[in-house]
């Protein structure tokens, strides 16, 4: 690269707006058309977790979920953004119900012929352990709402990092019509720390970042076809990609409905032989991206 | 004349002047290695050490800040304590567990060291159990200085990347302390053994001549080296951005600081990452921060790429920076082969006498601006910070910032190095950083140290920076005024709560303290978006892919 080109690239680089750096509210604002952001059930509605204070934890006034209505290329849209720095983005009774309720309202609008484009910004460790069953119940409601809604409009999920998307919410991600990730994103059922704790460090060393990302990182998930777009950490590029995903319309077949394909892929795996990231790429090659 | 000579000869006739040389020859003979063969068998290393060593020997084990002669330390710990015991270990950095197992097994007894970061708890424990006796705890250069005076090693166990059959060594970018240790040993009849990663016919360059080296041995695996100077920008807080902006405006710009050393930490990483953005917006490029005594911090990459940096001399290297350094020979000190040549002692010297400013973070500071990173229950030592963080009174050459520190109007005055301490008023968990009494005092007492292990003495500190403001301590005219200035920027700490508002206002009016608004810094503008890089990925991209972050820092 010539010196001039390098300098130009650096300028571009400095000019880029990091999506990962943003909080949930800023992220929702960055996705929607400029000036169209309108928050539902914001912090001043003081819809807090009733359970956290009982366990000595200060409850946040929005319970860590930002719901925003606005537009995408002028079309009505809904963004549900999870705030990862509050309780690890965990889903409690209130935060989960906010997302499920908003998706159900969008569904009602769709059924009445007024389509709303739903976007989920998933930065979550899954269920909030302090609210156990109530959290799990609302996650199930979110799943049901996504499945109902995606008959009308594509449901787009974005995982950007740095928390990633785990537990019951990884199922929500898998139900999305299209998933957009960065290299920094992680998507998996159990988080690496949980696996290490339950199965031992010999099974997975959670501090081995290279290993963790080679298994569940954005690049790997893209390479094996479990997500649809792999982007740089650039808010403008992510917002554009969300618009493109809606422009593509409903997928021919939702990924989670491709039961035969995935049964076949699972059958190809020999549980006796440990599988690493590159191994899975090789195994699923053909159907997956190289 | 003739008479005198005769008398002299007579007086000394009974004395041998070659006892050290003879002793070395006896040891080599005991080993029974064929003359001229410098290459030792790795398998026989334990046995070899057992033959070469004698009880009570002074052994310099490398034990550096970054790289470790770990093959040799793993061999040393296996010798028979019946045969080899009471060794006196000279080691700059105790970082590997076997360094202390030597004491548990009774192989070593006495210890002179500089830093024991990862092993500091165990040092304190062994001391309490009476298994270890401390000679002294030093800064790096002091320990090496004594190797040339009264603590000359009998044996040096060092490491290098490559050797040839003649014993010439190529240290690679992490030259660090090896030439110094080898010089102290080789030229006073000690035995030098170097572990190397590989034996080759031709070296990329010779860092240490073969005539200084007695033996080389190819280690079972490459020597261990830790990336100690990598800070992930992801963890830089907006408070650190604010303090960085204040430093750039209130110190670097104000005093025109062009040559400097940065301590390692997120605060200084923030400053490095603010140069290409905030510094650029102030038009300071070329006016500040040109010449550095610094390890190759990855967070300096954006400033280098944007043309801020003229030169960097390094104490050691940094894992992952090798190819980047090789591609920037205008900036770094590199050999004819293109790879970095670092040297801890010379860089320490440069950092003391060649640069105008040191800046570093502290974990604890008292009302007089004495500061310490010592915490209770640990004996961590000093490393190099006190050498950088003091005003060298032997300096005689002047520079604009050095002269800028003069406040007295007298026929005989001297300038002063800028020694800047950064301290957020509270640490994580709500413990105050600025305190009545340093933990170091208690630790010193418990460990039987003659004086408290203070890292930076308050009277060397010219500036203190907290998120509240800057105290220009060099402007104070009494101890009492110093304490008032520190208190004025100490926030809600016990020291800060003692500040008298009227007194602080008077100090502010005289420019002894400054708040962010006095410096034209808006706390509202202190956003992470001002950082030229906000992640390791960003740093790698800035370097055009030349910086290869170690796996533990990669989130992709």
């Amino acid at each position: 690269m010539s010196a001039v080109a390098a300098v130009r690239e650096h300028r571009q680089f400095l000019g880029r707006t990091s999506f990962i750096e943003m909080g949930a509210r800023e992220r929702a604002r960055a996705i929607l058309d400029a000036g169209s952001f309108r928050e539902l059930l914001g912090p001043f509605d003081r819809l807090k977790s009733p359970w956290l204070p009982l366990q000595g934890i200060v409850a946040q006034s929005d319970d860590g979920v930002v719901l925003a209505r606005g537009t995408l290329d002028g079309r009505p849209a809904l963004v549900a953004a999870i705030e990862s720095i509050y309780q690890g983005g965990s889903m409690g009774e209130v935060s989960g119900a906010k997302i499920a309720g908003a998706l159900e309202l969008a569904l009602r609008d769709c059924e009445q012929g007024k389509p709303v484009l739903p976007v989920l910004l998933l930065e979550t460790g899954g269920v909030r352990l302090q609210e156990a069953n109530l959290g799990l119940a609302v996650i199930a409601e979110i799943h049901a709402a996504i499945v109902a809604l995606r008959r009308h409009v594509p449901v787009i999920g974005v995982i950007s990092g740095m928390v990633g998307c785990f537990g019951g919410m990884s199922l929500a991600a898998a139900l999305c019509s299209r998933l957009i990730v960065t290299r920094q994103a992680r998507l998996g059922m159990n988080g690496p720390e949980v696996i290490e704790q339950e199965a031992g460090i010999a099974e997975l060393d959670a501090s081995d970042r290279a290993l963790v990302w080679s298994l569940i990182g954005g690049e790997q998930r893209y390479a094996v076809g479990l997500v649809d777009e792999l982007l740089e950490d650039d808010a403008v590029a992510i917002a554009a990609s969300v618009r493109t995903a809606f422009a593509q319309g409903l997928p021919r077949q939702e990924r989670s409905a491709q039961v035969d394909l995935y049964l076949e892929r699972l059958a190809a795996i020999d549980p006796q032989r440990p599988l690493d990231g590159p191994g899975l790429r090789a195994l699923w090659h053909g159907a997956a991206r190289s | 004349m003739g008479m005198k000579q005769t008398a002299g000869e007579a007086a000394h006739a009974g004395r041998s002047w070659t006892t050290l040389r003879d002793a070395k020859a006896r040891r080599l003979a005991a080993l029974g290695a064929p003359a001229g063969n410098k290459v030792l068998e790795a398998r026989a290393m334990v046995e070899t050490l057992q033959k070469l060593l004698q009880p009570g020997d002074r052994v310099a084990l490398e034990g550096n800040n970054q790289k470790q002669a770990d093959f040799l330390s793993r061999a040393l710990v296996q010798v028979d304590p019946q045969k080899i015991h009471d060794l006196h270990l000279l080691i700059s950095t105790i970082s590997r567990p076997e360094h202390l197992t030597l004491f548990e097994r009774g192989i070593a007894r006495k210890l002179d060291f500089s830093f024991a970061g990862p092993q500091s708890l165990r040092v304190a424990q062994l001391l309490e159990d009476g298994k270890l006796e401390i000679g002294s705890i030093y800064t790096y250069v002091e320990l090496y200085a004594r190797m040339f005076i009264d603590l000359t090693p009998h044996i040096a166990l060092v490491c290098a990347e490559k050797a040839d059959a003649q014993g010439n060594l190529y240290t690679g970018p992490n030259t660090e302390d090896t030439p110094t240790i080898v010089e102290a040993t080789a030229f006073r009849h000690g035995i030098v053994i170097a572990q190397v990663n590989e034996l080759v016919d031709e070296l990329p360059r010779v860092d240490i001549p073969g005539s200084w080296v007695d033996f080389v041995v190819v280690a079972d695996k490459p020597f261990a080296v830790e990336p100690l100077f990598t800070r992930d920008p992801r963890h830089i807080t907006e408070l650190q951005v604010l303090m960085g902006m204040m430093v750039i405006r209130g110190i670097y710009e104000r005093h025109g600081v062009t040559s400097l050393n940065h301590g390692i930490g997120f605060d200084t990483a923030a400053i490095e990452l603010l140069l290409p953005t905030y510094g650029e917006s102030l038009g300071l490029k070329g006016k500040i921060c040109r010449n550095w005594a610094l390890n190759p911090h990855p967070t300096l990459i954006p400033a280098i790429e944007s043309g801020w940096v003229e030169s960097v001399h390094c104490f050691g290297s940094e894992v992952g920076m090798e190819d980047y350094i090789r591609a920037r020979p205008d900036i770094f000190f590199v050999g004819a082969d293109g790879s970095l040549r670092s040297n801890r002692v010379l860089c320490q010297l440069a950092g003391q006498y060649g640069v105008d400013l040191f800046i570093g973070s502290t974990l604890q500071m008292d009302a007089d601006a004495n500061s310490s990173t010592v915490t209770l229950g640990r004996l961590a030592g000093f490393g190099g910070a006190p050498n950088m963080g003091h005003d060298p009174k032997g300096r005689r050459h002047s520079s604009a910032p050095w002269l800028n520190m003069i406040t007295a109007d007298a026929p005989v005055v001297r300038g002063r190095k800028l020694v800047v301490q950064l301290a957020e008023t509270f640490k994580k968990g709500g413990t105050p950083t600025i305190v009545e009494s340093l933990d170091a005092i208690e630790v010193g007492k418990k460990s039987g140290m003659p004086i408290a292990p203070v890292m930076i003495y308050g009277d060397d500190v010219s500036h203190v920076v907290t998120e509240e403001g800057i105290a220009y301590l060099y402007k104070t005219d009494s101890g009492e005024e110093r304490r008032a200035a520190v208190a004025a920027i100490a926030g809600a700490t016990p020291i800060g709560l003692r500040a008298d508002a009227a007194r602080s206002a008077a100090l502010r009016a005289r420019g002894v303290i400054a708040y962010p608004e006095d410096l034209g810094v808006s706390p509202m503008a202190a956003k992470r978006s001002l950082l030229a890089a906000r992640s390791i990925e960003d740093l790698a991209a800035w370097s055009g892919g030349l910086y290869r972050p170690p796996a533990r820092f990669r989130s992709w």
Side-chain angles (χ1 to χ4, degrees), chain A residues 12 15-20 182 231-240:
Chain A
Q12 264 175 7
R16 176 198 58 130
T17 309
S18 165
F19 195 71
I20 295 175
T182 66
L231 298 176
E232 285 292 326
D233 168 27
D234 181 335
V236 174
I238 290 172

Side-chain angles (χ1 to χ4, degrees), chain B residues 24-262:
Chain B
K24 176 170 177 176
R26 277 196 303 276
R27 288 184 194 230
L28 295 181
L31 184 63
N37 179 20
K38 290 195 169 183
V39 183
L40 294 172
E41 285 280 339
R43 280 171 303 161
M45 201 61 228
V46 177
E47 188 52 32
T48 302
L49 286 174
Q50 233 155 237
K51 284 181 182 160
L52 283 174
L53 283 164
Q54 286 170 8
D57 271 354
R58 280 188 299 274
V59 178
L61 177 60
E62 190 167 37
N64 269 359
N65 191 0
Q66 289 166 285
K67 69 172 175 180
Q68 307 293 330
D70 57 325
F71 169 72
L72 292 172
S73 60
R74 280 183 278 122
L76 183 59
V77 81
Q78 291 174 56
V79 301
D80 180 358
Q82 299 290 323
K83 292 181 183 150
I84 309 298
H85 47 83
D86 294 311
L87 296 180
H88 180 174
L89 203 63
L90 313 173
I91 182 165
S92 77
T93 304
I94 304 165
S95 56
R96 298 187 57 83
E98 66 263 20
H99 293 160
L100 291 175
T101 309
L102 289 171
F103 293 90
E104 268 168 12
R105 296 199 66 214
I107 297 164
R109 167 95 209 141
K110 194 167 176 187
L111 173 66
D112 281 76
F113 76 106
S114 298
F115 186 65
Q119 300 291 334
S120 52
L121 262 177
R122 218 167 136 215
V123 172
Q125 191 57 50
L126 284 165
L127 187 67
E128 204 170 306
D129 297 349
K131 297 213 160 196
L132 176 155
E133 182 189 320
I134 289 178
S136 278
I137 307 178
Y138 304 80
T139 61
Y140 293 132
V141 282
E142 289 174 86
L143 177 60
Y144 295 123
R146 285 206 51 195
M147 284 191 193
F148 289 93
I149 302 297
D150 58 345
L151 288 181
T152 308
H154 295 102
I155 308 258
L157 305 174
V158 300
C159 62
E161 270 192 33
K162 299 171 197 229
D164 62 18
Q166 288 74 50
N168 293 303
L169 301 181
Y170 167 64
T171 59
N174 278 91
T175 313
E176 297 189 67
D177 310 329
T178 320
T180 311
I181 298 170
V182 172
E183 177 147 359
T185 311
F187 291 92
R188 212 163 143 71
H189 314 290
I191 296 171
V192 175
I193 305 174
Q195 74 167 69
V196 296
N197 298 348
E198 54 177 330
L199 201 61
V200 295
D201 290 333
E202 202 174 334
L203 294 172
R205 70 169 188 244
V206 175
D207 286 300
I208 294 165
S211 64
W212 304 10
V213 178
D214 295 286
F215 299 109
V216 296
V217 55
V218 179
D220 53 355
K221 55 182 180 187
F223 62 76
V225 56
E226 288 292 314
L228 295 177
F229 298 94
T230 300
R231 292 293 176 271
D232 186 345
R234 190 94 65 195
H235 305 305
I236 295 173
T237 66
E238 297 198 327
L239 220 51
Q240 287 161 339
V241 172
L242 172 64
M243 287 166 67
M245 293 165 78
M246 289 198 285
V247 167
I248 289 172
R249 282 236 83 161
I251 299 175
Y252 293 1
E253 180 184 12
R254 177 171 296 190
H255 305 299
V257 176
T258 58
S259 63
L260 69 166
N261 166 254
H262 271 187

Side-chain angles (χ1 to χ4, degrees), chain A residues 1 6-7 9-11 13-14 16-18 20-21 162 183-185 207-210 213-214 217 219 233, chain B residues 232 234 276-277 280 305 528-529 531-535 537-539 541-544 551-556:
Chain A
M1 193 193 317
V7 167
E9 194 162 294
H10 291 157
R11 288 273 148 78
F13 197 72
L14 278 175
R16 176 198 58 130
T17 309
S18 165
I20 295 175
E21 284 286 312
M162 292 302 295
R183 288 192 301 169
Q184 291 81 5
S207 68
D208 186 343
R209 299 171 74 91
W213 260 270
S214 79
E219 219 170 300
D233 168 27
Chain B
D232 186 345
R234 190 94 65 195
T277 53
E280 184 86 42
E305 294 303 302
R528 275 180 49 87
S529 55
L531 298 171
R534 281 152 288 181
S535 63
E537 299 89 290
D538 289 359
L539 292 173
W542 264 109
S543 76
R552 76 165 87 156
F553 291 106
R554 294 174 55 139
S555 306
W556 67 86

Side-chain angles (χ1 to χ4, degrees), chain B residues 135-438:
Chain B
S136 278
I137 307 178
Y138 304 80
T139 61
Y140 293 132
V141 282
E142 289 174 86
L143 177 60
Y144 295 123
R146 285 206 51 195
M147 284 191 193
F148 289 93
I149 302 297
D150 58 345
L151 288 181
T152 308
H154 295 102
I155 308 258
L157 305 174
V158 300
C159 62
E161 270 192 33
K162 299 171 197 229
D164 62 18
Q166 288 74 50
N168 293 303
L169 301 181
Y170 167 64
T171 59
N174 278 91
T175 313
E176 297 189 67
D177 310 329
T178 320
T180 311
I181 298 170
V182 172
E183 177 147 359
T185 311
F187 291 92
R188 212 163 143 71
H189 314 290
I191 296 171
V192 175
I193 305 174
Q195 74 167 69
V196 296
N197 298 348
E198 54 177 330
L199 201 61
V200 295
D201 290 333
E202 202 174 334
L203 294 172
R205 70 169 188 244
V206 175
D207 286 300
I208 294 165
S211 64
W212 304 10
V213 178
D214 295 286
F215 299 109
V216 296
V217 55
V218 179
D220 53 355
K221 55 182 180 187
F223 62 76
V225 56
E226 288 292 314
L228 295 177
F229 298 94
T230 300
R231 292 293 176 271
D232 186 345
R234 190 94 65 195
H235 305 305
I236 295 173
T237 66
E238 297 198 327
L239 220 51
Q240 287 161 339
V241 172
L242 172 64
M243 287 166 67
M245 293 165 78
M246 289 198 285
V247 167
I248 289 172
R249 282 236 83 161
I251 299 175
Y252 293 1
E253 180 184 12
R254 177 171 296 190
H255 305 299
V257 176
T258 58
S259 63
L260 69 166
N261 166 254
H262 271 187
I264 183 64
F266 288 103
D267 310 77
T268 44
I271 298 171
E272 289 154 22
L273 292 171
L274 285 169
L275 293 175
T277 53
Y278 182 65
E280 184 86 42
S281 73
L282 297 171
L284 294 175
K285 184 151 92 181
K287 296 180 182 150
I288 61 169
C289 301
R290 294 200 304 253
N291 305 96
W292 299 71
L294 192 78
N295 277 307
H297 291 181
T299 41
L300 197 63
I301 292 172
I304 294 172
E305 294 303 302
S306 323
W308 279 72
V309 176
E310 268 175 19
S311 69
V312 183
H313 185 255
C314 300
F315 307 90
S317 187
E318 182 65 357
V319 182
M321 286 288 279
E322 297 83 359
D323 290 347
Y324 178 73
I325 292 166
R326 193 181 275 278
R328 300 290 180 267
D330 274 2
I331 307 297
F332 294 96
F333 286 71
V334 294
D337 64 309
S339 69
L340 180 73
R341 162 84 181 196
S342 58
N343 187 312
R344 178 153 294 109
V345 170
L346 293 181
C347 196
Q348 288 274 345
L349 190 68
Q352 285 180 62
Y353 288 99
V355 307
D356 289 327
L357 174 139
F358 162 81
I359 185 165
S361 324
T362 184
L363 297 179
Q364 232 182 31
M365 179 182 285
D366 70 12
D368 295 299
N370 294 306
S371 68
S372 160
T373 50
V374 166
T375 44
L376 287 171
R378 286 173 189 271
L379 211 49
F382 296 109
N387 295 130
M388 302 290 103
H390 83 290
D391 175 31
K393 296 279 167 64
R395 175 171 168 171
R396 290 297 177 269
H397 79 283
S398 50
S399 64
W402 191 76
L403 294 172
N404 206 231
M405 293 294 102
I406 297 173
T407 50
D409 183 17
V412 176
V413 288
R414 67 162 127 214
R416 155 172 196 178
K417 179 176 174 181
L418 283 75
V419 175
V420 184
Q421 286 288 275
L422 296 162
E424 277 179 34
T425 56
F426 281 84
K427 290 184 279 237
K428 277 208 182 85
T431 30
T433 305
I434 304 174
V435 296
E436 297 280 355
S437 169
L438 297 178

Side-chain angles (χ1 to χ4, degrees), chain A residues 52-64:
Chain A
L52 290 179
L54 301 177
Q55 297 168 71
I57 298 166
V58 176
Q60 188 165 295
S61 298
D62 56 12
D63 205 33

Side-chain angles (χ1 to χ4, degrees), chain A residues 3-133:
Chain A
V4 177
V7 167
R8 198 180 313 125
E9 194 162 294
H10 291 157
R11 288 273 148 78
Q12 264 175 7
F13 197 72
L14 278 175
R16 176 198 58 130
T17 309
S18 165
F19 195 71
I20 295 175
E21 284 286 312
M22 296 177 172
R25 200 160 276 107
E26 287 173 281
R27 287 180 180 190
R29 212 182 279 276
I31 294 288
L32 291 165
D33 291 345
S36 75
F37 174 96
R38 177 170 63 85
E39 188 164 353
L40 310 177
L41 294 179
F44 294 104
D45 293 305
R46 312 221 183 268
L47 213 54
K48 302 186 200 183
S49 163
W51 310 108
L52 290 179
L54 301 177
Q55 297 168 71
I57 298 166
V58 176
Q60 188 165 295
S61 298
D62 56 12
D63 205 33
V65 162
V66 174
L67 296 177
R69 287 297 304 264
T71 55
L72 286 169
D73 288 337
R75 300 165 69 191
L78 162 75
V79 179
I82 303 171
E83 179 55 74
S84 61
I85 59 169
Y86 175 65
Q87 296 294 314
S90 60
M91 287 292 101
E93 184 189 16
V94 171
S95 52
K98 280 173 76 171
I99 297 178
L103 293 175
E104 284 160 13
L105 286 174
L107 173 64
R108 202 182 60 189
D109 283 349
C110 287
E111 285 168 349
Q112 292 171 358
K114 298 182 286 184
V116 175
L117 308 181
V119 183
L120 301 175
L121 307 184
L122 300 166
E123 220 51 56
T124 167
V127 67
R128 186 178 294 162
L129 295 178
Q130 294 91 340
E131 305 185 22
N133 296 350

